[in-house]
Amino acid sequence: MPKPIVRIHDLHKTYREGDRKLHVLDGVSLDIYAGEFLALLGASGSGKSTLLNLLSGIDSPDRGRIFIDSLDITPLNDRQLTLFRRENIGIIFQFFNLIPTCTVRENVTLPQELGGAPRRRAEARAGDLLRQVGLGERADAFPDKLSGGEQQRVAIARALLHEPKIVLADEPTGNLDDDTGRGVIRLLLRLTREAGKTLIVATHSGEIARQADRVCRIHDGQLRVETPPA
């Protein structure tokens, strides 16, 4: 049996809404394996994004532990989590999160340059990734000149630039039309499969779930592993 790259053990996360406590995650446990494509399904507010934020170290659990490549990230401080995320995690958001005053190339390379990576190396890697996502000739364009699908492809290149072990995608097609969304998912899946990355996607889409190796559904704070739909 292969060793999990992610181990989630008894994870709890609660938010306050006025006088109420919302138990978004209530004792979630799961093993995720290297190279796996895992789809997280659930209604809005069910905890999909919360779980991705916990896996990336953007947020911290109330209780429980998260091991990534055998490292327990739950006791790490903010600086340690930032360094860990910079080296190990790629994140793709629903709304692209591109900087409008930066070119496509600059958007892709900026996170690594802020982390101290040599500019020339980052730009060479960015050029290669932009060619792979079909935007090699748009490197000097600004985000407002790109379609939604093109902006998401830039976000994919940015997430893969530092060769992360794990790619987290939060509703990556939620802001795209159906045809464009299908193309983005095909591209994301091809690039992560070819590189042997672990891909975890939070989505409402049954069509995306059908392409996954495993599907997990979050409901009422609980996580249930499902067989991918036929």
Side-chain angles (χ1 to χ4, degrees):
M1 189 73 176
K3 185 178 180 181
I5 192 170
V6 178
R7 303 203 76 168
I8 303 166
H9 178 68
D10 194 30
L11 212 59
H12 293 254
K13 186 65 180 179
T14 302
Y15 295 106
R16 282 200 170 273
E17 189 176 83
D19 295 331
R20 292 194 309 149
K21 275 188 176 181
L22 301 178
H23 297 280
V24 181
L25 300 175
D26 191 9
V28 166
S29 296
L30 181 69
D31 288 349
I32 304 171
Y33 297 92
E36 183 175 23
F37 172 19
L38 182 78
L40 290 174
L41 291 179
S44 295
S46 62
K48 304 186 305 296
S49 296
T50 296
L51 182 54
L52 293 189
N53 287 340
L54 294 173
L55 290 173
S56 66
I58 291 174
D59 201 356
S60 300
D62 299 328
R63 193 166 86 238
R65 303 174 79 183
I66 299 171
F67 296 87
I68 296 182
D69 208 14
S70 299
L71 173 68
D72 185 356
I73 70 168
T74 46
L76 301 183
N77 61 35
D78 287 345
R79 182 178 181 278
Q80 290 170 325
L81 285 168
T82 297
L83 293 174
F84 171 82
R85 188 164 49 247
R86 187 178 293 160
E87 294 177 3
N88 296 280
I89 307 292
I91 305 175
I92 301 165
F93 303 93
Q94 177 178 347
F95 295 103
F96 321 135
N97 285 13
L98 303 182
I99 300 172
T101 55
C102 291
T103 66
V104 164
R105 181 187 294 107
E106 290 166 343
N107 267 284
V108 174
T109 61
L110 185 59
Q112 283 301 286
E113 289 185 29
L114 290 175
R119 173 178 289 185
R120 187 169 297 177
R121 184 189 306 169
E123 288 185 347
R125 170 76 173 148
D128 180 55
L129 279 169
L130 287 171
R131 285 188 290 274
Q132 289 186 59
V133 301
L135 293 173
E137 297 181 356
R138 306 301 304 276
D140 295 319
F142 288 89
D144 65 349
K145 302 300 182 184
L146 305 181
S147 69
E150 288 173 330
Q151 290 187 60
Q152 194 60 298
R153 283 189 271 156
V154 175
I156 290 172
R158 179 182 59 192
L160 296 176
L161 183 72
H162 59 297
E163 300 184 355
K165 297 172 184 174
I166 299 166
V167 178
L168 307 175
D170 192 0
E171 298 285 1
T173 63
N175 206 35
L176 304 173
D177 64 74
D178 289 346
D179 287 343
T180 302
R182 290 187 193 100
V184 164
I185 285 297
R186 282 196 300 269
L187 175 66
L188 177 59
L189 187 53
R190 176 175 64 81
L191 291 175
T192 51
R193 291 281 199 212
E194 288 176 354
K197 309 300 182 188
T198 300
L199 174 63
I200 305 170
V201 178
T203 182
H204 289 97
S205 170
E207 185 173 353
I208 292 175
R210 283 190 287 273
Q211 301 175 66
D213 299 315
R214 276 194 301 164
V215 175
C216 293
R217 188 177 297 275
I218 301 179
H219 179 69
D220 287 341
Q222 303 293 311
L223 184 144
R224 184 176 75 251
V225 178
E226 298 183 347
T227 303

PDB file of all heavy atoms in Angstrom, residues 4-35:
ATOM      1  N   PRO A   4       0.560   7.586   2.275  1.00  0.00           N
ATOM      2  CA  PRO A   4      -0.161   8.833   1.970  1.00  0.00           C
ATOM      3  C   PRO A   4       0.779  10.029   1.967  1.00  0.00           C
ATOM      4  O   PRO A   4       1.688  10.121   2.785  1.00  0.00           O
ATOM      5  CB  PRO A   4      -1.180   8.946   3.102  1.00  0.00           C
ATOM      6  CG  PRO A   4      -1.273   7.577   3.704  1.00  0.00           C
ATOM      7  CD  PRO A   4       0.072   6.953   3.514  1.00  0.00           C
ATOM      8  N   ILE A   5       0.532  10.961   1.042  1.00  0.00           N
ATOM      9  CA  ILE A   5       1.271  12.225   1.072  1.00  0.00           C
ATOM     10  C   ILE A   5       0.584  13.210   1.997  1.00  0.00           C
ATOM     11  O   ILE A   5       1.208  14.125   2.541  1.00  0.00           O
ATOM     12  CB  ILE A   5       1.426  12.807  -0.348  1.00  0.00           C
ATOM     13  CG1 ILE A   5       2.438  13.959  -0.318  1.00  0.00           C
ATOM     14  CG2 ILE A   5       0.085  13.240  -0.941  1.00  0.00           C
ATOM     15  CD1 ILE A   5       2.859  14.451  -1.688  1.00  0.00           C
ATOM     16  N   VAL A   6      -0.730  13.028   2.209  1.00  0.00           N
ATOM     17  CA  VAL A   6      -1.507  13.851   3.144  1.00  0.00           C
ATOM     18  C   VAL A   6      -2.244  12.932   4.107  1.00  0.00           C
ATOM     19  O   VAL A   6      -2.893  11.977   3.676  1.00  0.00           O
ATOM     20  CB  VAL A   6      -2.536  14.745   2.414  1.00  0.00           C
ATOM     21  CG1 VAL A   6      -3.358  15.558   3.421  1.00  0.00           C
ATOM     22  CG2 VAL A   6      -1.852  15.670   1.415  1.00  0.00           C
ATOM     23  N   ARG A   7      -2.130  13.215   5.402  1.00  0.00           N
ATOM     24  CA  ARG A   7      -2.904  12.500   6.416  1.00  0.00           C
ATOM     25  C   ARG A   7      -3.643  13.534   7.268  1.00  0.00           C
ATOM     26  O   ARG A   7      -3.022  14.388   7.907  1.00  0.00           O
ATOM     27  CB  ARG A   7      -2.013  11.634   7.295  1.00  0.00           C
ATOM     28  CG  ARG A   7      -1.177  10.623   6.528  1.00  0.00           C
ATOM     29  CD  ARG A   7      -0.761   9.452   7.377  1.00  0.00           C
ATOM     30  NE  ARG A   7      -1.904   8.546   7.566  1.00  0.00           N
ATOM     31  CZ  ARG A   7      -1.775   7.321   8.075  1.00  0.00           C
ATOM     32  NH1 ARG A   7      -0.604   6.870   8.463  1.00  0.00           N
ATOM     33  NH2 ARG A   7      -2.841   6.559   8.211  1.00  0.00           N
ATOM     34  N   ILE A   8      -4.951  13.463   7.238  1.00  0.00           N
ATOM     35  CA  ILE A   8      -5.804  14.358   8.016  1.00  0.00           C
ATOM     36  C   ILE A   8      -6.408  13.530   9.142  1.00  0.00           C
ATOM     37  O   ILE A   8      -7.044  12.506   8.892  1.00  0.00           O
ATOM     38  CB  ILE A   8      -6.920  14.945   7.133  1.00  0.00           C
ATOM     39  CG1 ILE A   8      -6.314  15.683   5.926  1.00  0.00           C
ATOM     40  CG2 ILE A   8      -7.832  15.862   7.934  1.00  0.00           C
ATOM     41  CD1 ILE A   8      -7.331  15.993   4.844  1.00  0.00           C
ATOM     42  N   HIS A   9      -6.213  13.974  10.375  1.00  0.00           N
ATOM     43  CA  HIS A   9      -6.675  13.179  11.515  1.00  0.00           C
ATOM     44  C   HIS A   9      -7.540  14.009  12.456  1.00  0.00           C
ATOM     45  O   HIS A   9      -7.076  15.003  13.034  1.00  0.00           O
ATOM     46  CB  HIS A   9      -5.479  12.616  12.296  1.00  0.00           C
ATOM     47  CG  HIS A   9      -5.875  11.822  13.512  1.00  0.00           C
ATOM     48  ND1 HIS A   9      -6.526  10.606  13.428  1.00  0.00           N
ATOM     49  CD2 HIS A   9      -5.725  12.087  14.835  1.00  0.00           C
ATOM     50  CE1 HIS A   9      -6.754  10.157  14.656  1.00  0.00           C
ATOM     51  NE2 HIS A   9      -6.287  11.031  15.518  1.00  0.00           N
ATOM     52  N   ASP A  10      -8.804  13.629  12.576  1.00  0.00           N
ATOM     53  CA  ASP A  10      -9.748  14.174  13.561  1.00  0.00           C
ATOM     54  C   ASP A  10      -9.774  15.700  13.521  1.00  0.00           C
ATOM     55  O   ASP A  10      -9.636  16.376  14.540  1.00  0.00           O
ATOM     56  CB  ASP A  10      -9.387  13.687  14.963  1.00  0.00           C
ATOM     57  CG  ASP A  10     -10.513  13.933  15.973  1.00  0.00           C
ATOM     58  OD1 ASP A  10     -11.690  13.934  15.561  1.00  0.00           O
ATOM     59  OD2 ASP A  10     -10.210  14.137  17.165  1.00  0.00           O
ATOM     60  N   LEU A  11     -10.004  16.247  12.337  1.00  0.00           N
ATOM     61  CA  LEU A  11      -9.937  17.690  12.130  1.00  0.00           C
ATOM     62  C   LEU A  11     -11.259  18.357  12.503  1.00  0.00           C
ATOM     63  O   LEU A  11     -12.332  17.934  12.064  1.00  0.00           O
ATOM     64  CB  LEU A  11      -9.614  17.964  10.659  1.00  0.00           C
ATOM     65  CG  LEU A  11      -8.803  19.211  10.335  1.00  0.00           C
ATOM     66  CD1 LEU A  11      -7.455  19.185  11.046  1.00  0.00           C
ATOM     67  CD2 LEU A  11      -8.600  19.319   8.829  1.00  0.00           C
ATOM     68  N   HIS A  12     -11.158  19.412  13.310  1.00  0.00           N
ATOM     69  CA  HIS A  12     -12.328  20.181  13.736  1.00  0.00           C
ATOM     70  C   HIS A  12     -12.097  21.655  13.418  1.00  0.00           C
ATOM     71  O   HIS A  12     -11.012  22.191  13.637  1.00  0.00           O
ATOM     72  CB  HIS A  12     -12.561  20.045  15.245  1.00  0.00           C
ATOM     73  CG  HIS A  12     -12.950  18.661  15.673  1.00  0.00           C
ATOM     74  ND1 HIS A  12     -14.231  18.323  16.041  1.00  0.00           N
ATOM     75  CD2 HIS A  12     -12.206  17.519  15.803  1.00  0.00           C
ATOM     76  CE1 HIS A  12     -14.272  17.050  16.367  1.00  0.00           C
ATOM     77  NE2 HIS A  12     -13.055  16.542  16.242  1.00  0.00           N
ATOM     78  N   LYS A  13     -13.151  22.300  12.909  1.00  0.00           N
ATOM     79  CA  LYS A  13     -13.091  23.742  12.679  1.00  0.00           C
ATOM     80  C   LYS A  13     -14.471  24.336  12.893  1.00  0.00           C
ATOM     81  O   LYS A  13     -15.458  23.890  12.300  1.00  0.00           O
ATOM     82  CB  LYS A  13     -12.610  24.050  11.256  1.00  0.00           C
ATOM     83  CG  LYS A  13     -12.396  25.534  11.007  1.00  0.00           C
ATOM     84  CD  LYS A  13     -11.270  26.107  11.849  1.00  0.00           C
ATOM     85  CE  LYS A  13     -11.051  27.586  11.595  1.00  0.00           C
ATOM     86  NZ  LYS A  13      -9.969  28.149  12.433  1.00  0.00           N
ATOM     87  N   THR A  14     -14.521  25.354  13.763  1.00  0.00           N
ATOM     88  CA  THR A  14     -15.778  26.000  14.122  1.00  0.00           C
ATOM     89  C   THR A  14     -15.665  27.499  13.882  1.00  0.00           C
ATOM     90  O   THR A  14     -14.630  28.103  14.166  1.00  0.00           O
ATOM     91  CB  THR A  14     -16.111  25.745  15.613  1.00  0.00           C
ATOM     92  OG1 THR A  14     -16.189  24.335  15.828  1.00  0.00           O
ATOM     93  CG2 THR A  14     -17.434  26.378  15.993  1.00  0.00           C
ATOM     94  N   TYR A  15     -16.726  28.078  13.350  1.00  0.00           N
ATOM     95  CA  TYR A  15     -16.815  29.525  13.190  1.00  0.00           C
ATOM     96  C   TYR A  15     -18.006  30.045  13.992  1.00  0.00           C
ATOM     97  O   TYR A  15     -18.975  29.325  14.218  1.00  0.00           O
ATOM     98  CB  TYR A  15     -16.986  29.910  11.721  1.00  0.00           C
ATOM     99  CG  TYR A  15     -15.806  29.578  10.848  1.00  0.00           C
ATOM    100  CD1 TYR A  15     -15.855  28.508   9.961  1.00  0.00           C
ATOM    101  CD2 TYR A  15     -14.640  30.328  10.906  1.00  0.00           C
ATOM    102  CE1 TYR A  15     -14.774  28.196   9.151  1.00  0.00           C
ATOM    103  CE2 TYR A  15     -13.547  30.028  10.099  1.00  0.00           C
ATOM    104  CZ  TYR A  15     -13.630  28.956   9.224  1.00  0.00           C
ATOM    105  OH  TYR A  15     -12.550  28.658   8.439  1.00  0.00           O
ATOM    106  N   ARG A  16     -17.923  31.296  14.384  1.00  0.00           N
ATOM    107  CA  ARG A  16     -19.051  31.932  15.080  1.00  0.00           C
ATOM    108  C   ARG A  16     -19.832  32.794  14.095  1.00  0.00           C
ATOM    109  O   ARG A  16     -19.259  33.539  13.305  1.00  0.00           O
ATOM    110  CB  ARG A  16     -18.561  32.795  16.240  1.00  0.00           C
ATOM    111  CG  ARG A  16     -18.183  31.985  17.461  1.00  0.00           C
ATOM    112  CD  ARG A  16     -18.172  32.852  18.720  1.00  0.00           C
ATOM    113  NE  ARG A  16     -18.032  32.028  19.924  1.00  0.00           N
ATOM    114  CZ  ARG A  16     -19.048  31.486  20.556  1.00  0.00           C
ATOM    115  NH1 ARG A  16     -20.289  31.659  20.092  1.00  0.00           N
ATOM    116  NH2 ARG A  16     -18.845  30.754  21.639  1.00  0.00           N
ATOM    117  N   GLU A  17     -21.131  32.673  14.145  1.00  0.00           N
ATOM    118  CA  GLU A  17     -22.029  33.519  13.356  1.00  0.00           C
ATOM    119  C   GLU A  17     -23.045  34.106  14.323  1.00  0.00           C
ATOM    120  O   GLU A  17     -24.044  33.466  14.661  1.00  0.00           O
ATOM    121  CB  GLU A  17     -22.723  32.701  12.274  1.00  0.00           C
ATOM    122  CG  GLU A  17     -23.495  33.545  11.274  1.00  0.00           C
ATOM    123  CD  GLU A  17     -24.090  32.690  10.174  1.00  0.00           C
ATOM    124  OE1 GLU A  17     -25.183  32.130  10.408  1.00  0.00           O
ATOM    125  OE2 GLU A  17     -23.471  32.567   9.105  1.00  0.00           O
ATOM    126  N   GLY A  18     -22.766  35.319  14.818  1.00  0.00           N
ATOM    127  CA  GLY A  18     -23.592  35.882  15.880  1.00  0.00           C
ATOM    128  C   GLY A  18     -23.411  35.071  17.154  1.00  0.00           C
ATOM    129  O   GLY A  18     -22.298  34.872  17.641  1.00  0.00           O
ATOM    130  N   ASP A  19     -24.528  34.585  17.682  1.00  0.00           N
ATOM    131  CA  ASP A  19     -24.480  33.765  18.898  1.00  0.00           C
ATOM    132  C   ASP A  19     -24.336  32.284  18.599  1.00  0.00           C
ATOM    133  O   ASP A  19     -24.252  31.470  19.522  1.00  0.00           O
ATOM    134  CB  ASP A  19     -25.757  33.985  19.729  1.00  0.00           C
ATOM    135  CG  ASP A  19     -25.856  35.409  20.262  1.00  0.00           C
ATOM    136  OD1 ASP A  19     -24.790  36.019  20.472  1.00  0.00           O
ATOM    137  OD2 ASP A  19     -26.984  35.901  20.438  1.00  0.00           O
ATOM    138  N   ARG A  20     -24.301  31.923  17.316  1.00  0.00           N
ATOM    139  CA  ARG A  20     -24.268  30.504  16.947  1.00  0.00           C
ATOM    140  C   ARG A  20     -22.851  30.045  16.650  1.00  0.00           C
ATOM    141  O   ARG A  20     -22.023  30.805  16.147  1.00  0.00           O
ATOM    142  CB  ARG A  20     -25.134  30.239  15.710  1.00  0.00           C
ATOM    143  CG  ARG A  20     -26.620  30.404  15.936  1.00  0.00           C
ATOM    144  CD  ARG A  20     -27.380  29.786  14.774  1.00  0.00           C
ATOM    145  NE  ARG A  20     -26.890  30.268  13.485  1.00  0.00           N
ATOM    146  CZ  ARG A  20     -26.899  29.550  12.364  1.00  0.00           C
ATOM    147  NH1 ARG A  20     -27.324  28.296  12.381  1.00  0.00           N
ATOM    148  NH2 ARG A  20     -26.479  30.072  11.228  1.00  0.00           N
ATOM    149  N   LYS A  21     -22.598  28.792  16.955  1.00  0.00           N
ATOM    150  CA  LYS A  21     -21.362  28.144  16.528  1.00  0.00           C
ATOM    151  C   LYS A  21     -21.664  27.266  15.323  1.00  0.00           C
ATOM    152  O   LYS A  21     -22.585  26.446  15.361  1.00  0.00           O
ATOM    153  CB  LYS A  21     -20.793  27.274  17.658  1.00  0.00           C
ATOM    154  CG  LYS A  21     -19.939  28.014  18.659  1.00  0.00           C
ATOM    155  CD  LYS A  21     -19.281  27.028  19.602  1.00  0.00           C
ATOM    156  CE  LYS A  21     -18.348  27.735  20.566  1.00  0.00           C
ATOM    157  NZ  LYS A  21     -17.679  26.759  21.470  1.00  0.00           N
ATOM    158  N   LEU A  22     -20.876  27.444  14.264  1.00  0.00           N
ATOM    159  CA  LEU A  22     -21.037  26.626  13.070  1.00  0.00           C
ATOM    160  C   LEU A  22     -19.907  25.613  13.025  1.00  0.00           C
ATOM    161  O   LEU A  22     -18.737  25.983  12.868  1.00  0.00           O
ATOM    162  CB  LEU A  22     -21.007  27.506  11.817  1.00  0.00           C
ATOM    163  CG  LEU A  22     -22.077  28.597  11.721  1.00  0.00           C
ATOM    164  CD1 LEU A  22     -21.885  29.424  10.457  1.00  0.00           C
ATOM    165  CD2 LEU A  22     -23.465  27.991  11.767  1.00  0.00           C
ATOM    166  N   HIS A  23     -20.243  24.342  13.164  1.00  0.00           N
ATOM    167  CA  HIS A  23     -19.240  23.272  13.108  1.00  0.00           C
ATOM    168  C   HIS A  23     -19.027  22.885  11.647  1.00  0.00           C
ATOM    169  O   HIS A  23     -19.682  21.987  11.124  1.00  0.00           O
ATOM    170  CB  HIS A  23     -19.693  22.080  13.944  1.00  0.00           C
ATOM    171  CG  HIS A  23     -19.837  22.390  15.403  1.00  0.00           C
ATOM    172  ND1 HIS A  23     -18.765  22.436  16.267  1.00  0.00           N
ATOM    173  CD2 HIS A  23     -20.930  22.708  16.139  1.00  0.00           C
ATOM    174  CE1 HIS A  23     -19.184  22.752  17.471  1.00  0.00           C
ATOM    175  NE2 HIS A  23     -20.493  22.920  17.432  1.00  0.00           N
ATOM    176  N   VAL A  24     -18.107  23.589  11.002  1.00  0.00           N
ATOM    177  CA  VAL A  24     -17.889  23.381   9.569  1.00  0.00           C
ATOM    178  C   VAL A  24     -17.239  22.024   9.318  1.00  0.00           C
ATOM    179  O   VAL A  24     -17.614  21.304   8.389  1.00  0.00           O
ATOM    180  CB  VAL A  24     -17.035  24.521   8.984  1.00  0.00           C
ATOM    181  CG1 VAL A  24     -16.817  24.316   7.491  1.00  0.00           C
ATOM    182  CG2 VAL A  24     -17.701  25.865   9.239  1.00  0.00           C
ATOM    183  N   LEU A  25     -16.256  21.675  10.121  1.00  0.00           N
ATOM    184  CA  LEU A  25     -15.617  20.354  10.057  1.00  0.00           C
ATOM    185  C   LEU A  25     -15.668  19.754  11.448  1.00  0.00           C
ATOM    186  O   LEU A  25     -15.247  20.380  12.418  1.00  0.00           O
ATOM    187  CB  LEU A  25     -14.175  20.469   9.562  1.00  0.00           C
ATOM    188  CG  LEU A  25     -13.972  21.066   8.167  1.00  0.00           C
ATOM    189  CD1 LEU A  25     -12.489  21.235   7.869  1.00  0.00           C
ATOM    190  CD2 LEU A  25     -14.641  20.214   7.094  1.00  0.00           C
ATOM    191  N   ASP A  26     -16.167  18.526  11.529  1.00  0.00           N
ATOM    192  CA  ASP A  26     -16.433  17.918  12.831  1.00  0.00           C
ATOM    193  C   ASP A  26     -15.843  16.504  12.876  1.00  0.00           C
ATOM    194  O   ASP A  26     -16.526  15.517  12.684  1.00  0.00           O
ATOM    195  CB  ASP A  26     -17.948  17.879  13.071  1.00  0.00           C
ATOM    196  CG  ASP A  26     -18.309  17.509  14.492  1.00  0.00           C
ATOM    197  OD1 ASP A  26     -17.403  17.454  15.335  1.00  0.00           O
ATOM    198  OD2 ASP A  26     -19.502  17.272  14.756  1.00  0.00           O
ATOM    199  N   GLY A  27     -14.520  16.446  13.088  1.00  0.00           N
ATOM    200  CA  GLY A  27     -13.858  15.149  13.208  1.00  0.00           C
ATOM    201  C   GLY A  27     -13.527  14.505  11.881  1.00  0.00           C
ATOM    202  O   GLY A  27     -13.672  13.299  11.709  1.00  0.00           O
ATOM    203  N   VAL A  28     -13.038  15.296  10.925  1.00  0.00           N
ATOM    204  CA  VAL A  28     -12.722  14.794   9.579  1.00  0.00           C
ATOM    205  C   VAL A  28     -11.364  14.093   9.589  1.00  0.00           C
ATOM    206  O   VAL A  28     -10.378  14.626  10.093  1.00  0.00           O
ATOM    207  CB  VAL A  28     -12.730  15.952   8.562  1.00  0.00           C
ATOM    208  CG1 VAL A  28     -12.088  15.533   7.250  1.00  0.00           C
ATOM    209  CG2 VAL A  28     -14.150  16.447   8.335  1.00  0.00           C
ATOM    210  N   SER A  29     -11.323  12.895   9.001  1.00  0.00           N
ATOM    211  CA  SER A  29     -10.066  12.148   8.828  1.00  0.00           C
ATOM    212  C   SER A  29     -10.011  11.605   7.406  1.00  0.00           C
ATOM    213  O   SER A  29     -11.031  11.157   6.866  1.00  0.00           O
ATOM    214  CB  SER A  29      -9.978  10.994   9.822  1.00  0.00           C
ATOM    215  OG  SER A  29      -9.921  11.469  11.162  1.00  0.00           O
ATOM    216  N   LEU A  30      -8.816  11.647   6.808  1.00  0.00           N
ATOM    217  CA  LEU A  30      -8.682  11.194   5.421  1.00  0.00           C
ATOM    218  C   LEU A  30      -7.207  11.033   5.077  1.00  0.00           C
ATOM    219  O   LEU A  30      -6.379  11.837   5.499  1.00  0.00           O
ATOM    220  CB  LEU A  30      -9.322  12.212   4.468  1.00  0.00           C
ATOM    221  CG  LEU A  30      -9.287  11.892   2.972  1.00  0.00           C
ATOM    222  CD1 LEU A  30     -10.187  10.706   2.648  1.00  0.00           C
ATOM    223  CD2 LEU A  30      -9.698  13.116   2.156  1.00  0.00           C
ATOM    224  N   ASP A  31      -6.886  10.007   4.301  1.00  0.00           N
ATOM    225  CA  ASP A  31      -5.561   9.848   3.700  1.00  0.00           C
ATOM    226  C   ASP A  31      -5.661  10.149   2.207  1.00  0.00           C
ATOM    227  O   ASP A  31      -6.600   9.710   1.542  1.00  0.00           O
ATOM    228  CB  ASP A  31      -5.044   8.418   3.882  1.00  0.00           C
ATOM    229  CG  ASP A  31      -4.635   8.114   5.319  1.00  0.00           C
ATOM    230  OD1 ASP A  31      -4.545   9.060   6.128  1.00  0.00           O
ATOM    231  OD2 ASP A  31      -4.440   6.927   5.627  1.00  0.00           O
ATOM    232  N   ILE A  32      -4.684  10.891   1.694  1.00  0.00           N
ATOM    233  CA  ILE A  32      -4.633  11.233   0.274  1.00  0.00           C
ATOM    234  C   ILE A  32      -3.261  10.822  -0.237  1.00  0.00           C
ATOM    235  O   ILE A  32      -2.241  11.062   0.414  1.00  0.00           O
ATOM    236  CB  ILE A  32      -4.862  12.745   0.054  1.00  0.00           C
ATOM    237  CG1 ILE A  32      -6.195  13.178   0.691  1.00  0.00           C
ATOM    238  CG2 ILE A  32      -4.857  13.086  -1.436  1.00  0.00           C
ATOM    239  CD1 ILE A  32      -6.395  14.683   0.723  1.00  0.00           C
ATOM    240  N   TYR A  33      -3.229  10.211  -1.429  1.00  0.00           N
ATOM    241  CA  TYR A  33      -2.004   9.591  -1.918  1.00  0.00           C
ATOM    242  C   TYR A  33      -1.334  10.422  -3.017  1.00  0.00           C
ATOM    243  O   TYR A  33      -1.989  11.170  -3.744  1.00  0.00           O
ATOM    244  CB  TYR A  33      -2.307   8.175  -2.420  1.00  0.00           C
ATOM    245  CG  TYR A  33      -2.806   7.292  -1.301  1.00  0.00           C
ATOM    246  CD1 TYR A  33      -4.169   7.165  -1.044  1.00  0.00           C
ATOM    247  CD2 TYR A  33      -1.914   6.640  -0.451  1.00  0.00           C
ATOM    248  CE1 TYR A  33      -4.637   6.395   0.010  1.00  0.00           C
ATOM    249  CE2 TYR A  33      -2.366   5.866   0.605  1.00  0.00           C
ATOM    250  CZ  TYR A  33      -3.726   5.755   0.835  1.00  0.00           C
ATOM    251  OH  TYR A  33      -4.179   5.004   1.892  1.00  0.00           O
ATOM    252  N   ALA A  34      -0.025  10.254  -3.121  1.00  0.00           N
ATOM    253  CA  ALA A  34       0.753  10.987  -4.113  1.00  0.00           C
ATOM    254  C   ALA A  34       0.242  10.675  -5.516  1.00  0.00           C
ATOM    255  O   ALA A  34       0.008   9.510  -5.861  1.00  0.00           O
ATOM    256  CB  ALA A  34       2.231  10.621  -3.989  1.00  0.00           C
ATOM    257  N   GLY A  35       0.062  11.711  -6.322  1.00  0.00           N
ATOM    258  CA  GLY A  35      -0.394  11.543  -7.692  1.00  0.00           C
ATOM    259  C   GLY A  35      -1.891  11.386  -7.841  1.00  0.00           C
ATOM    260  O   GLY A  35      -2.384  11.260  -8.964  1.00  0.00           O
TER     261      GLY A  35
END
